[in-house]
Amino acid sequence: MAISVEENGRLFNLHTEDSTYQMYADECGVLLHTYYGKRTEGENLTGLIYQADVGFSGNPEEAAGNREYSLDCLPQELPSDGVGDYRESCISLLHEDGSMAADFRFEGYEIFPYSYKVEGMPALYDNGEETGETLVITMREKASNAAVRLFYGVFEKENIITRAVRVENRGKSGIVLAKCLSCCLDYQFGEYDLITFAGRHVMERTPERSRIRRTKLEVGSLRGTSSHQYNPSVILCAPETTEDSGECYGMCLAYSGNFTACAQKDQRGQTRALMGIHPEKFSFRLGEGDAFDAPQVILGYSDSGFAKLSQQYHKILREHMCRGKYQYTKRPVLLNSWEATYFDFNKEKLVALAELAADLGIEMLVLDDGWFGKRDDDNSGLGDWYVNEKKLGGSLKELGERIHGLGLKFGLWFEPEMVSEDSDLYRAHPDWALQIPGREPNRGRNQLVLDMSREDVRDYLYGRLADIVENAGIDYVKWDMNRSICDIYSHQYAGSRNGEVYHRFVLGVYDLMERFLNRFPDILLEGCSGGGGRFDAGMLYYSPQIWCSDNTDAVNRLEIQYGTSFFYPLSSMGSHVSAVPNHQTGRVTPFRTRGHVALSGSFGYELDLNKISEEEKAMVREQIKDFRRYDSLIREGDYYRLAAPGGRFCAWEFVDGKKEHALQILVMTSAEGNPLPVHTVVKGLLPDKNYRCSENGRAYSGKTWMGAGLTLHAVPKEYESVLIEWEMVDR
Ligand code: DGJ
């Protein structure tokens, strides 16, 4: 059993293969967090807790005068608020009498031999033989009728522990939940760094590493989505941790809306890290019998560096978060019309593109923005999900038939959550948009946001999407979302429960996606929010691939895909070969390099095939062969970051599950005269087996390759790339 309970139901150990997470409900009923780290035998580690009389850190009544017992100093699972723990809390309550206090004590526990679900939200699920286990600990508020159920999931082999929180109002008087974070990690000892993934539109998820001190470190989003600016995933690690050594912990939120992730040392040098829905612009009213569910945090632990941590996340997200037919089915190589035509297309143009695509071995044409309503630029038409047959020169069904007739699949772009003021939908239902009466709304891309918390809005969208997808025989949907959300005011709640709207918006999006996928289980959904503005574990529950960034420049993509790879599997990263000069940066890179970079994600093209040379067309055919040849190795193998972007070159490697085959890709990112050698390390081979390297034909033992590495004798020129393989041989 991965979960063990001892000492009269008060000591809880969650064991994975390499880690142990321990809690103890002490004599005061406080749920202590006693340990998270390398696997132990489950011994009671409350002895690690050092207690002392700390001035200005008070004592709860149950401590019976013991001045060494203070909530302000103890490591806890559900830190109280307003009753003596002055550090960041997990949960805040506002009671009907106006008081603000949340003081939870242990009530009981249950264990289930399967994974728990989170109401209305994504969560890791059991997969055939591989099931998780669940521990539920119930905590009771001392002076009100609020109760909290803490859910802990354990995926033993995968080294993953999850946590989610349910708050219940078991009484008659109303309670306002002013804050409800999903997870708190308290570390009593040690120095830690916090790694966050920050960025901006077209430049997402660059790792930033900072020492955790007493000054609070915090990242988050108040944009209604998980955002380009900060990702809802962070790493805590020892200062000396590298790719291959040292302890590290991952915190990854399965949620696509506002979030916070913060870490801080307290007065005694203890580190507290928290993650969950951002408490700003949040409040949730719980009437009698109501409950609130906070999203799941996926915790990972590695005692040997970031590579292993990432591999654990890749596996768990691929196998227990992504769902549906395309979880394992090979993804079609696609051609997306966006950077090929933008808004300027008609049936002839699209069919001509599809014919060329089919001839080159591409398997799907995706018609991006511009096929509906009045939509020749991005100022109008959103919400009017009716095919613009005049622009197209026929129906979408006819176009679909032509495309299918060429042996291609047919994909279509939608942006369901948005509305243009210049649209029939907005003219008919202005109250369906989020906007504050009496204020001019803030416009993003000249569009407003629909109130996805409303069922009537979702019903309309579901009806339109289903009708179009069914009629035109659509095989793939790109679900886009192109602005940040503000002006929070739902006409449905007439403003009185606006603190709930950001969260209800996310629940509404999940609900619509779930309904859509239930109706069309074979559709491949690709998530997108101006590229990677909603690249999070929650979205992977619905869309096994997400357009990684609107930046298709191969060199910028090295950074973006590098940062994304710390948590998210390569199979989830939408990555396309596009034209040069690149539309976002103006940079010119070789076609081959663009292919190698796109190959390390869910592969496709996004350029006008009429404009590429015969030589490049031949390369497309070769690249598609490579994509098929390396498909499982790249998308299911173990991934290693070898050389980070920012140096002379960037390199990474894949090793298959049996460790018989490895593949390295290296891109030169700067050039110099009289170049110095390029030397790479090799990782993940079996030390006692022999491997032949495609670069120099030599066969050495895995041990030798991993110790000595490889020198490239022809140093690639700027932006050139090389692809090197190692095959296991008898020698
Ligand atoms: C933003 C997306 O990321 C692009 O790929 C494209 O679909 C545009 N939106 C279309 O408006």
Tab-separated table of all heavy atoms in Angstrom, residues 201 336 338-339 342-343 368-370 375 378 413 415 445 478 480-482 528-532 547 549-550 576 606, ligand 1:
chain	number	residue	atom	x	y	z
A	201	HIS	N	3.557	37.231	-24.369
A	201	HIS	CA	3.029	36.705	-25.619
A	201	HIS	C	4.182	36.560	-26.621
A	201	HIS	O	5.027	37.442	-26.729
A	201	HIS	CB	1.952	37.670	-26.162
A	201	HIS	CG	1.390	37.232	-27.479
A	201	HIS	ND1	1.185	38.084	-28.526
A	201	HIS	CD2	0.987	36.016	-27.914
A	201	HIS	CE1	0.672	37.428	-29.552
A	201	HIS	NE2	0.541	36.165	-29.213
A	336	ASN	N	-1.250	24.207	-41.233
A	336	ASN	CA	-2.178	25.210	-40.721
A	336	ASN	C	-2.174	26.420	-41.656
A	336	ASN	O	-1.116	26.875	-42.088
A	336	ASN	CB	-1.750	25.607	-39.302
A	336	ASN	CG	-2.693	26.617	-38.684
A	336	ASN	OD1	-2.797	27.746	-39.150
A	336	ASN	ND2	-3.382	26.217	-37.642
A	338	TRP	N	-2.859	29.552	-41.062
A	338	TRP	CA	-2.690	30.909	-40.505
A	338	TRP	C	-1.521	31.661	-41.147
A	338	TRP	O	-1.704	32.641	-41.862
A	338	TRP	CB	-2.573	30.845	-38.981
A	338	TRP	CG	-2.491	32.199	-38.331
A	338	TRP	CD1	-1.477	32.662	-37.551
A	338	TRP	CD2	-3.453	33.262	-38.401
A	338	TRP	NE1	-1.748	33.933	-37.124
A	338	TRP	CE2	-2.956	34.331	-37.633
A	338	TRP	CE3	-4.686	33.409	-39.026
A	338	TRP	CZ2	-3.626	35.537	-37.475
A	338	TRP	CZ3	-5.376	34.612	-38.883
A	338	TRP	CH2	-4.846	35.660	-38.119
A	339	GLU	N	-0.303	31.180	-40.937
A	339	GLU	CA	0.828	31.924	-41.511
A	339	GLU	C	0.943	31.703	-43.023
A	339	GLU	O	1.776	32.323	-43.683
A	339	GLU	CB	2.126	31.563	-40.787
A	339	GLU	CG	2.191	32.157	-39.396
A	339	GLU	CD	3.581	32.138	-38.772
A	339	GLU	OE1	4.580	32.016	-39.496
A	339	GLU	OE2	3.648	32.242	-37.528
A	342	TYR	N	-3.245	33.883	-43.670
A	342	TYR	CA	-3.953	34.743	-42.711
A	342	TYR	C	-5.441	34.782	-43.106
A	342	TYR	O	-6.021	33.714	-43.317
A	342	TYR	CB	-3.296	36.119	-42.604
A	342	TYR	CG	-1.899	35.998	-41.978
A	342	TYR	CD1	-0.745	36.065	-42.758
A	342	TYR	CD2	-1.749	35.763	-40.618
A	342	TYR	CE1	0.515	35.917	-42.185
A	342	TYR	CE2	-0.487	35.626	-40.042
A	342	TYR	CZ	0.632	35.696	-40.823
A	342	TYR	OH	1.879	35.529	-40.249
A	343	PHE	N	-6.045	35.993	-43.237
A	343	PHE	CA	-7.493	36.033	-43.499
A	343	PHE	C	-7.826	35.930	-44.993
A	343	PHE	O	-8.988	35.951	-45.376
A	343	PHE	CB	-8.076	37.354	-42.958
A	343	PHE	CG	-8.087	37.409	-41.453
A	343	PHE	CD1	-7.171	38.181	-40.750
A	343	PHE	CD2	-9.019	36.683	-40.726
A	343	PHE	CE1	-7.180	38.237	-39.366
A	343	PHE	CE2	-9.044	36.736	-39.335
A	343	PHE	CZ	-8.119	37.513	-38.655
A	368	ASP	N	-7.630	27.939	-40.353
A	368	ASP	CA	-7.547	28.784	-39.155
A	368	ASP	C	-8.577	29.907	-39.240
A	368	ASP	O	-9.568	29.821	-39.999
A	368	ASP	CB	-6.098	29.293	-38.997
A	368	ASP	CG	-5.697	29.524	-37.558
A	368	ASP	OD1	-6.084	30.574	-37.005
A	368	ASP	OD2	-5.017	28.664	-36.970
A	369	ASP	N	-8.352	30.953	-38.531
A	369	ASP	CA	-9.271	32.081	-38.364
A	369	ASP	C	-9.768	32.651	-39.705
A	369	ASP	O	-9.000	32.707	-40.671
A	369	ASP	CB	-8.494	33.174	-37.606
A	369	ASP	CG	-9.388	34.227	-37.006
A	369	ASP	OD1	-10.593	34.198	-37.273
A	369	ASP	OD2	-8.855	35.077	-36.259
A	370	GLY	N	-11.048	33.090	-39.752
A	370	GLY	CA	-11.524	33.873	-40.890
A	370	GLY	C	-12.613	33.229	-41.735
A	370	GLY	O	-13.038	33.818	-42.726
A	375	ARG	N	-15.521	38.359	-41.158
A	375	ARG	CA	-14.225	38.176	-40.503
A	375	ARG	C	-13.086	38.230	-41.527
A	375	ARG	O	-12.506	37.181	-41.874
A	375	ARG	CB	-14.257	36.828	-39.774
A	375	ARG	CG	-13.039	36.523	-38.915
A	375	ARG	CD	-13.041	37.206	-37.598
A	375	ARG	NE	-11.932	36.758	-36.763
A	375	ARG	CZ	-11.498	37.409	-35.687
A	375	ARG	NH1	-12.092	38.533	-35.290
A	375	ARG	NH2	-10.493	36.945	-34.996
A	378	ASP	N	-9.209	41.012	-37.669
A	378	ASP	CA	-9.562	40.568	-36.318
A	378	ASP	C	-10.385	41.609	-35.539
A	378	ASP	O	-10.324	41.656	-34.308
A	378	ASP	CB	-8.305	40.135	-35.534
A	378	ASP	CG	-7.262	41.240	-35.439
A	378	ASP	OD1	-7.587	42.398	-35.792
A	378	ASP	OD2	-6.130	40.939	-35.018
A	413	TRP	N	-10.592	26.049	-36.961
A	413	TRP	CA	-10.282	26.950	-35.843
A	413	TRP	C	-11.573	27.530	-35.258
A	413	TRP	O	-12.484	27.898	-36.001
A	413	TRP	CB	-9.422	28.081	-36.395
A	413	TRP	CG	-8.998	29.167	-35.435
A	413	TRP	CD1	-7.831	29.232	-34.770
A	413	TRP	CD2	-9.712	30.375	-35.110
A	413	TRP	NE1	-7.774	30.396	-34.029
A	413	TRP	CE2	-8.917	31.115	-34.223
A	413	TRP	CE3	-10.960	30.894	-35.476
A	413	TRP	CZ2	-9.298	32.343	-33.685
A	413	TRP	CZ3	-11.352	32.112	-34.943
A	413	TRP	CH2	-10.528	32.826	-34.058
A	415	GLU	N	-12.847	30.214	-31.779
A	415	GLU	CA	-12.479	30.967	-30.573
A	415	GLU	C	-13.766	31.175	-29.768
A	415	GLU	O	-14.298	32.294	-29.674
A	415	GLU	CB	-11.826	32.300	-30.942
A	415	GLU	CG	-11.163	32.944	-29.740
A	415	GLU	CD	-10.448	34.255	-30.057
A	415	GLU	OE1	-10.443	34.672	-31.226
A	415	GLU	OE2	-9.927	34.867	-29.111
A	445	ARG	N	-7.463	42.843	-28.491
A	445	ARG	CA	-7.617	42.479	-29.905
A	445	ARG	C	-8.983	42.944	-30.426
A	445	ARG	O	-9.638	42.273	-31.208
A	445	ARG	CB	-7.483	40.969	-30.091
A	445	ARG	CG	-6.829	40.572	-31.404
A	445	ARG	CD	-6.950	39.089	-31.675
A	445	ARG	NE	-6.145	38.711	-32.831
A	445	ARG	CZ	-6.289	37.598	-33.515
A	445	ARG	NH1	-7.203	36.718	-33.170
A	445	ARG	NH2	-5.533	37.336	-34.540
A	478	LYS	N	-8.999	23.503	-33.419
A	478	LYS	CA	-8.048	24.353	-32.678
A	478	LYS	C	-8.898	25.332	-31.879
A	478	LYS	O	-9.646	26.122	-32.458
A	478	LYS	CB	-7.141	25.084	-33.660
A	478	LYS	CG	-6.147	26.029	-32.998
A	478	LYS	CD	-5.187	26.578	-34.047
A	478	LYS	CE	-4.329	27.711	-33.528
A	478	LYS	NZ	-3.527	28.303	-34.601
A	480	ASP	N	-9.028	28.389	-29.684
A	480	ASP	CA	-8.186	29.541	-29.400
A	480	ASP	C	-8.842	30.450	-28.354
A	480	ASP	O	-10.039	30.322	-28.045
A	480	ASP	CB	-7.978	30.302	-30.726
A	480	ASP	CG	-6.686	31.110	-30.757
A	480	ASP	OD1	-6.070	31.296	-29.711
A	480	ASP	OD2	-6.325	31.565	-31.862
A	481	MET	N	-8.099	31.408	-27.826
A	481	MET	CA	-8.597	32.332	-26.801
A	481	MET	C	-7.627	33.501	-26.775
A	481	MET	O	-6.497	33.350	-26.315
A	481	MET	CB	-8.584	31.585	-25.462
A	481	MET	CG	-9.383	32.148	-24.342
A	481	MET	SD	-8.621	33.602	-23.628
A	481	MET	CE	-9.639	33.858	-22.232
A	482	ASN	N	-8.027	34.643	-27.326
A	482	ASN	CA	-7.041	35.658	-27.675
A	482	ASN	C	-7.056	36.958	-26.898
A	482	ASN	O	-6.765	38.015	-27.473
A	482	ASN	CB	-7.149	35.964	-29.167
A	482	ASN	CG	-6.479	34.885	-29.984
A	482	ASN	OD1	-5.303	34.614	-29.790
A	482	ASN	ND2	-7.221	34.246	-30.858
A	528	CYS	N	-5.165	26.445	-27.412
A	528	CYS	CA	-4.385	27.593	-27.878
A	528	CYS	C	-4.921	28.823	-27.162
A	528	CYS	O	-6.125	28.950	-26.942
A	528	CYS	CB	-4.579	27.730	-29.389
A	528	CYS	SG	-3.755	29.164	-30.102
A	529	SER	N	-4.033	29.711	-26.793
A	529	SER	CA	-4.478	31.012	-26.340
A	529	SER	C	-3.409	31.981	-26.813
A	529	SER	O	-2.403	32.196	-26.120
A	529	SER	CB	-4.617	31.038	-24.818
A	529	SER	OG	-4.894	32.362	-24.408
A	530	GLY	N	-3.590	32.487	-28.047
A	530	GLY	CA	-2.529	33.293	-28.646
A	530	GLY	C	-1.223	32.536	-28.507
A	530	GLY	O	-0.224	33.074	-28.040
A	531	GLY	N	-1.226	31.263	-28.898
A	531	GLY	CA	-0.089	30.378	-28.656
A	531	GLY	C	-0.207	29.796	-27.264
A	531	GLY	O	-1.208	29.166	-26.925
A	532	GLY	N	0.797	30.058	-26.411
A	532	GLY	CA	0.879	29.342	-25.141
A	532	GLY	C	0.367	30.088	-23.932
A	532	GLY	O	0.926	29.971	-22.846
A	547	TRP	N	-0.981	24.604	-28.812
A	547	TRP	CA	-0.101	25.428	-29.642
A	547	TRP	C	0.833	26.173	-28.688
A	547	TRP	O	0.392	26.973	-27.868
A	547	TRP	CB	-0.955	26.360	-30.500
A	547	TRP	CG	-0.216	27.243	-31.466
A	547	TRP	CD1	-0.473	28.561	-31.693
A	547	TRP	CD2	0.848	26.881	-32.350
A	547	TRP	NE1	0.374	29.038	-32.659
A	547	TRP	CE2	1.206	28.028	-33.077
A	547	TRP	CE3	1.561	25.701	-32.594
A	547	TRP	CZ2	2.225	28.047	-34.029
A	547	TRP	CZ3	2.580	25.707	-33.539
A	547	TRP	CH2	2.892	26.868	-34.239
A	549	SER	N	3.339	28.352	-28.872
A	549	SER	CA	3.583	29.796	-28.909
A	549	SER	C	3.208	30.325	-30.281
A	549	SER	O	3.337	29.605	-31.281
A	549	SER	CB	5.068	30.072	-28.664
A	549	SER	OG	5.325	31.454	-28.787
A	550	ASP	N	2.797	31.590	-30.343
A	550	ASP	CA	2.591	32.229	-31.644
A	550	ASP	C	3.918	32.575	-32.295
A	550	ASP	O	3.947	33.077	-33.411
A	550	ASP	CB	1.762	33.513	-31.480
A	550	ASP	CG	0.280	33.230	-31.592
A	550	ASP	OD1	-0.087	32.104	-31.970
A	550	ASP	OD2	-0.522	34.139	-31.290
A	576	HIS	N	5.499	24.013	-35.362
A	576	HIS	CA	5.373	23.968	-36.824
A	576	HIS	C	6.593	24.550	-37.532
A	576	HIS	O	7.225	25.481	-37.029
A	576	HIS	CB	4.151	24.776	-37.287
A	576	HIS	CG	2.861	24.280	-36.738
A	576	HIS	ND1	1.695	25.004	-36.790
A	576	HIS	CD2	2.537	23.107	-36.114
A	576	HIS	CE1	0.720	24.318	-36.223
A	576	HIS	NE2	1.213	23.166	-35.801
A	606	GLU	N	3.268	25.453	-41.262
A	606	GLU	CA	2.420	26.636	-41.227
A	606	GLU	C	3.033	27.663	-42.168
A	606	GLU	O	3.632	28.649	-41.750
A	606	GLU	CB	2.342	27.160	-39.779
A	606	GLU	CG	1.368	28.294	-39.644
A	606	GLU	CD	0.789	28.459	-38.241
A	606	GLU	OE1	0.841	27.513	-37.440
A	606	GLU	OE2	0.282	29.552	-37.977
B	1	DGJ	C1	-3.782	33.178	-32.303
B	1	DGJ	C2	-3.225	31.821	-32.581
B	1	DGJ	O1	-2.225	31.484	-31.695
B	1	DGJ	C3	-2.750	31.777	-34.030
B	1	DGJ	O2	-2.118	30.562	-34.299
B	1	DGJ	C4	-3.939	31.993	-34.914
B	1	DGJ	O3	-4.844	30.948	-34.741
B	1	DGJ	C5	-4.599	33.316	-34.583
B	1	DGJ	N1	-4.885	33.431	-33.176
B	1	DGJ	C6	-5.864	33.499	-35.381
B	1	DGJ	O4	-6.557	34.602	-35.013
